[in-house]
Amino acid sequence: MIEKNKPIVAIVGRPNVGKSTLFNRLARKRSAIVDFEEGVTRDRKYEITEWNDRSFIIVDTGGIIPDSNLAIDKNIKLQAQIAIEQADLIIFLTDVKTGITDYDLEISKTLSTHRQKVLLVVNKVDNEKDELDLFEFYNLGFGDPFGIAANSGRNTGDFLDELTKILPDKYYDDEENQERVNVAIVGRPNTGKSSLINKIFGEEAVIVTDIAGTTRDSIDLDYRYEDKIIRFIDTAGLRKKSRIKYGVDYFSSMRTIDSIDRADIIILMLDASQEFSEQDQKIASYAQRKFKNMIILLNKWDLIEDKETNTYKEYVQKIRREFTFLEYVPIMSISALTGQRINRIPDMILKVWEESHKRISTSQLNDFMEKVIQKNPPSHSTGKHIKVYYVTQQATNPPTFIFFCNDPSLINVNYRRYIKNKIREAFKFEGATIKLILRGKEDDVPHIIY
């Protein structure tokens, strides 16, 4: 289910009237991709915004092409229709420069049954001369058109004043007191990320087609589970750099990286029917470098024929071989198409969340470290003496441990890896990426983070 604790305002209209520009203006950040290419926005995109102490959800939709027979256009239209049904207020956005088009007329027919919650807005009204052309838009039948210029911000303040006056007073609950877990679903294009979201939510939350790269923006959807809200971030698949051209694909890749940065847990989607690629490894490596908690989902398990008792075990071993740095990450085989084991995913997310928030007492850590050092003391090729004084857990999410020693530079990469492996052996932290900080005895010796 999509959380509806605040009024929802959906922006709808034909392609290239400035919906994403208005969305970004209202959200006060460059959240939606804006490009001169028609049809850039394909899915619904949600952001929470505020004006005059009124908080509401703004929804950007793809441009509606009413009479198109293309599958992608039909899906965009479906997404817009879902947004219209969910919305408490609909901004019907048009363009003063082109006037009323046949597409506008067709969209107005679709919106006529929702007339009571439609606010007609005419974009690109850059000056007083353009305002004279507003009278044409009375023909759409939605009352007084409101003229704005989303790009420059002209009249948007007055527009927001009007919008907040007519927003319904409802949907207030205890969401602010609930813990939120941000989960980014990442992977190569066409691995089934959007299909997974739709199966979890039980609705067409995002567009799914056979066309690789359908998702261009990152889509945030809230899912209430037990006492927490899991925010799923469905991202555009990362492509190889050689295939990324400056423009929409470039910004989509930036959105994916941004999604990883702001997530607590990364779900790496792998395609069981395809060979794992270098790009899969790069995605996982970037997430680990950012100290993100991780889960691996092996999708399209239904496509694997002639499964035997050891088939799953062999796939797991293959993943462990090719992603040697993710030996601590839990793996689950699923089918986003059939729903196989999808119901277990929220439980796995909360388990990894709990592991990443686990705290180990300083006394436990130092007892553990003393045994580790006695069994295998650190050494250096120079023969210099290495002394570890004590260790403490500084933070959670990610679990962060500070080791105080005489000279951090003397502790080599193999011994750091050895320490991390021993921490996992003793305290688990399944799915959580451990951060190790080596700190010297003297204040002027810098911290070294791994």
Side-chain angles (χ1 to χ4, degrees):
M1 60 181 176
I2 298 170
E3 285 299 314
K4 195 177 182 183
N5 69 300
K6 296 176 176 64
I8 293 178
V9 179
I11 305 172
V12 300
R14 59 182 170 82
N16 222 26
V17 293
K19 295 183 298 300
S20 293
T21 302
L22 178 59
F23 177 86
N24 289 339
R25 172 71 60 179
L26 300 185
R28 301 176 193 174
K29 60 182 178 180
R30 289 185 61 82
S31 181
I33 296 175
V34 179
D35 196 272
F36 291 114
E37 175 190 343
E38 289 189 358
V40 167
T41 302
R42 294 174 171 180
D43 288 301
R44 287 167 285 155
K45 186 170 180 63
Y46 297 76
E47 286 287 353
I48 296 174
T49 190
E50 186 176 301
W51 186 262
N52 288 344
D53 297 324
R54 292 298 310 276
S55 181
F56 56 97
I57 299 170
I58 192 80
V59 184
D60 186 24
T61 65
I64 301 173
I65 303 177
D67 57 354
S68 174
N69 289 319
L70 294 176
I72 188 70
D73 290 335
K74 289 181 178 179
N75 276 313
I76 289 171
K77 184 178 179 181
L78 172 63
Q79 289 295 305
Q81 288 173 334
I82 293 172
I84 289 167
E85 294 294 333
Q86 289 181 339
D88 299 293
L89 183 67
I90 299 165
I91 297 173
F92 178 16
L93 195 64
T94 55
D95 181 350
V96 75
K97 304 297 185 187
T98 57
I100 295 176
T101 68
D102 290 342
Y103 285 169
D104 292 322
L105 291 171
E106 288 298 317
I107 293 169
S108 69
K109 292 178 184 178
T110 301
L111 294 177
S112 62
T113 56
H114 304 276
R115 187 180 307 279
Q116 73 283 357
K117 62 178 184 179
V118 174
L119 182 61
L120 177 62
V121 180
V122 184
N123 192 24
K124 306 180 186 178
V125 182
D126 298 319
N127 49 54
E128 292 182 0
K129 183 181 177 182
D130 289 334
E131 290 178 358
L132 297 175
D133 296 324
L134 289 176
F135 293 100
E136 175 189 358
F137 291 87
Y138 279 95
N139 294 320
L140 291 173
F142 293 100
D144 296 339
F146 205 108
I148 66 167
N151 193 43
S152 66
R154 186 175 186 266
N155 285 346
T156 53
D158 293 338
F159 161 66
L160 281 167
D161 288 341
E162 181 66 22
L163 184 150
T164 51
K165 284 179 186 176
I166 59 179
L167 279 179
D169 292 314
K170 57 180 179 177
Y171 304 130
Y172 290 95
D173 60 21
D174 60 350
E175 180 187 327
E176 296 302 321
N177 298 322
Q178 284 190 287
E179 195 170 23
R180 187 187 302 277
V181 185
N182 294 315
V183 179
I185 305 176
V186 302
R188 286 180 295 162
N190 219 24
T191 54
K193 301 184 294 295
S194 296
S195 296
L196 174 63
I197 288 288
N198 287 339
K199 190 63 70 172
I200 290 173
F201 281 84
E203 60 173 282
E204 293 298 315
V206 290
I207 293 173
V208 178
T209 72
D210 293 329
I211 305 169
T214 299
T215 302
R216 288 184 174 181
D217 269 337
S218 296
I219 312 301
D220 293 2
L221 297 170
D222 286 351
Y223 184 83
R224 193 187 298 273
Y225 188 74
E226 295 186 354
D227 61 341
K228 293 180 176 60
I229 293 175
I230 301 174
R231 169 160 289 178
F232 285 99
I233 308 169
D234 179 32
T235 64
L238 277 176
R239 302 171 185 272
K240 291 183 178 179
K241 285 186 178 180
S242 60
R243 296 181 183 176
I244 297 174
K245 296 180 181 179
Y246 186 81
V248 174
D249 279 345
Y250 171 79
F251 286 111
S252 294
S253 296
M254 293 301 100
R255 292 285 187 266
T256 301
I257 291 171
D258 175 68
S259 298
I260 292 174
D261 289 344
R262 62 191 177 92
D264 300 299
I265 297 174
I266 308 301
I267 291 180
L268 175 63
M269 289 277 284
L270 299 177
D271 187 339
S273 66
Q274 303 288 332
E275 289 296 317
F276 308 141
S277 72
E278 181 183 356
Q279 195 64 15
D280 293 321
Q281 293 177 331
K282 286 182 177 179
I283 295 171
S285 177
Y286 178 80
Q288 191 191 54
R289 291 199 307 273
K290 291 294 182 176
F291 297 103
K292 299 299 179 179
N293 309 307
M294 295 186 69
I295 294 169
I296 294 176
L297 294 183
L298 189 60
N299 192 27
K300 305 186 183 180
W301 193 244
D302 55 305
L303 299 182
I304 305 303
E305 299 178 352
D306 301 322
K307 298 186 188 74
E308 298 179 356
T309 305
N310 291 327
T311 301
Y312 173 71
K313 184 179 178 181
E314 289 169 358
Y315 268 86
V316 170
Q317 290 173 344
K318 182 180 179 182
I319 292 171
R320 296 301 186 204
R321 284 195 306 271
E322 298 196 23
F323 298 85
T324 54
F325 54 96
L326 298 183
E327 74 285 348
Y328 59 92
V329 174
I331 301 170
M332 182 191 297
S333 62
I334 65 162
S335 170
L337 180 64
T338 67
Q340 183 181 22
R341 281 184 284 277
I342 299 298
N343 62 327
R344 300 184 189 177
I345 293 173
D347 286 322
M348 179 173 280
I349 288 170
L350 294 192
K351 180 182 178 182
V352 170
W353 179 253
E354 289 171 3
E355 286 288 297
S356 73
H357 284 75
K358 189 162 59 179
R359 275 196 174 273
I360 311 301
S361 70
T362 300
S363 59
Q364 276 184 290
L365 283 171
N366 284 282
D367 288 345
F368 146 78
M369 196 60 203
E370 184 178 351
K371 294 174 183 176
V372 169
I373 292 175
Q374 283 180 352
K375 185 175 181 180
N376 183 17
S379 61
H380 193 266
S381 58
T382 61
K384 291 183 178 179
H385 178 67
I386 301 172
K387 179 70 174 177
V388 177
Y389 300 109
Y390 69 98
V391 59
T392 185
Q393 185 174 354
Q394 181 196 44
T396 61
N397 195 34
T400 304
F401 300 92
I402 300 181
F403 282 74
F404 293 86
C405 52
N406 61 330
D407 188 348
S409 64
L410 297 178
I411 300 180
N412 62 38
V413 63
N414 289 331
Y415 200 80
R416 295 194 302 266
R417 189 178 296 117
Y418 169 72
I419 290 173
K420 283 187 177 182
N421 289 339
K422 286 299 179 181
I423 289 175
R424 291 194 184 282
E425 188 179 300
F427 307 112
K428 304 305 179 187
F429 292 106
E430 185 179 13
T433 302
I434 292 173
K435 180 185 288 189
L436 201 65
I437 299 177
L438 305 181
R439 183 176 179 180
K441 182 179 179 182
E442 304 297 333
D443 291 337
D444 59 348
V445 177
H447 293 202
I448 301 179
I449 302 175
Y450 302 99

